[in-house]
Amino acid sequence: MSQIARDIGVGAGVLGRWRRELETAKTKAFTGSGVPRDQEMATLKRELARVKK
């Protein structure tokens, strides 16, 4: 799972939390309960990875 997290530019903990939320929600792929900081961090990490390439 850590490789997938790196590929999409998020931390393994964030990806694990998303997975747990999906398993408990069962009705929606994303419940929208994430904090804006997590979304911003993921966006910045993806952008940094893109710039490094």
Side-chain angles (χ1 to χ4, degrees), residues 1-2 4-6 8 10-20:
M1 183 167 5
S2 60
I4 295 169
R6 281 192 298 273
I8 63 172
V10 298
V14 172
L15 185 58
R17 188 183 77 222
W18 289 347
R19 182 176 174 215
R20 286 188 302 278

Side-chain angles (χ1 to χ4, degrees), residues 20-39:
R20 286 188 302 278
E21 288 177 1
L22 176 60
E23 289 172 353
T24 58
K26 298 282 184 195
T27 58
K28 297 181 181 179
F30 178 66
T31 61
S33 62
V35 294
R37 184 181 61 108
D38 289 342
Q39 183 180 12

